[in-house]
Amino acid sequence: MVSSGFSLILSVEDDIDVVATATNGAQALDMAREVRPDVTLMDVQMPVMDGIEATRRFVDEGLGRVVILTTFDRDDYLFSALDAGASGFLLKNADADDLADAVRAVGHGHALLAPEVTRRVIERRVQDGSLGAGSEAARAAGGGPGNVGPTTSAWPSALSAHSTPSLPPRRTGDGGRLDDLTPREREVLGLLGRGLSNAEIAAALFVGEATVKTHVSNVLMKLGLRDRVQAVVAAYETGLVRVGD
């Protein structure tokens, strides 16, 4: 039922074709070898072969990008998926637009993490001492191979991505490039760094989601960042957000 629902959601999009569905990881591998999908949405808990092992084999065989899509917001699933080479990680409570946008993003080579888990990834990198401009975590924000997790594996592969832009150089002076932002944009960047979604930021600031989207776009543009994951890294690197905040 869930698989059919996702297929229906995606099949109505003009720029997305659903080419196959599978009931377990082993079947997904067989189908992927035949139809060569650009992006695969992969569950974690499946019979015969689970989604983590299937993702690892997708990546090893070059069978397209993988996005992990799971009900369970668990760190062991998250980091195992990243270590396996997944290009994205979404929770099943994402709305239909988010799902379609995720497929597009990963299909175009961008890494993607659900807002709920982005902060945990960055904090793990901070605790490992690997966060910094041009560091492993900064490259991970761009979604390149070997950018997330304690090993040098690629990002998840069922909404996957492979490019490695680094963060823009920081200027000297207190706050670095934060000088380019308005006070409200700095506030939005801080909330992004805490892993809040657009809806949660809107509620925190008592504004509409459309206003938040505008602020987020301005933050990305002014700081020369490509996506929300890079914005989270920037929030930590500039000291706007610290581990434990």
Side-chain angles (χ1 to χ4, degrees):
M1 290 175 60
V2 173
S3 178
S4 297
F6 289 151
S7 295
L8 180 61
I9 289 170
L10 294 174
S11 63
V12 299
E13 300 292 331
D14 293 337
D15 57 341
I16 297 175
D17 294 319
V18 178
V19 296
T21 59
T23 59
N24 61 68
Q27 187 181 39
L29 279 166
D30 289 339
M31 288 184 169
R33 292 172 184 135
E34 179 180 351
V35 301
R36 294 287 170 170
D38 297 308
V39 176
T40 298
L41 295 174
M42 189 80 73
D43 202 350
V44 174
Q45 291 189 352
M46 294 185 292
V48 184
M49 181 185 296
D50 65 52
I52 303 299
E53 178 59 26
T55 294
R56 184 173 291 108
R57 297 194 187 189
F58 263 69
V59 173
D60 289 345
E61 295 187 31
L63 297 176
R65 296 162 179 158
V66 176
V67 174
I68 297 293
L69 188 63
T70 180
T71 304
F72 306 100
D73 184 8
R74 289 172 40 174
D75 280 0
D76 56 340
Y77 285 174
L78 168 62
F79 290 102
S80 293
L82 296 177
D83 290 344
S87 299
F89 190 98
L90 282 180
L91 300 179
K92 288 182 180 176
N93 61 5
D95 62 32
D97 288 341
D98 288 339
L99 180 62
D101 288 344
V103 171
R104 293 187 185 98
V106 171
H108 284 92
H110 303 304
L112 183 141
L113 292 176
E116 299 92 331
V117 303
T118 301
R119 178 177 176 171
R120 299 208 299 275
V121 171
I122 302 301
E123 290 197 351
R124 173 71 67 89
R125 300 272 57 81
V126 172
Q127 291 163 358
D128 289 348
S130 58
L131 183 61
S135 69
E136 178 184 0
R139 290 193 302 274
N147 291 339
V148 176
T151 64
T152 56
S153 59
W155 276 60
S157 70
L159 277 193
S160 106
H162 301 89
S163 59
T164 57
S166 60
L167 290 174
R170 287 182 289 174
R171 297 176 184 169
T172 57
D174 187 24
R177 293 179 60 90
L178 294 182
D179 295 343
D180 295 340
L181 305 182
T182 66
R184 178 46 61 94
E185 289 165 355
R186 289 174 62 127
E187 196 170 9
V188 168
L189 178 59
L191 294 174
L192 284 174
R194 290 168 174 80
L196 272 63
S197 65
N198 284 351
E200 291 168 332
I201 294 173
L205 300 180
F206 302 101
V207 298
E209 282 194 57
T211 300
V212 172
K213 289 180 180 179
T214 298
H215 288 315
V216 171
S217 295
N218 289 340
V219 168
L220 298 181
M221 178 186 66
K222 290 182 178 181
L223 298 185
L225 306 174
R226 195 196 61 217
D227 54 35
R228 296 173 71 98
V229 180
Q230 283 195 333
V232 175
V233 175
Y236 277 89
E237 287 205 316
T238 58
L240 192 62
V241 177
R242 302 181 187 279
V243 177
D245 283 354

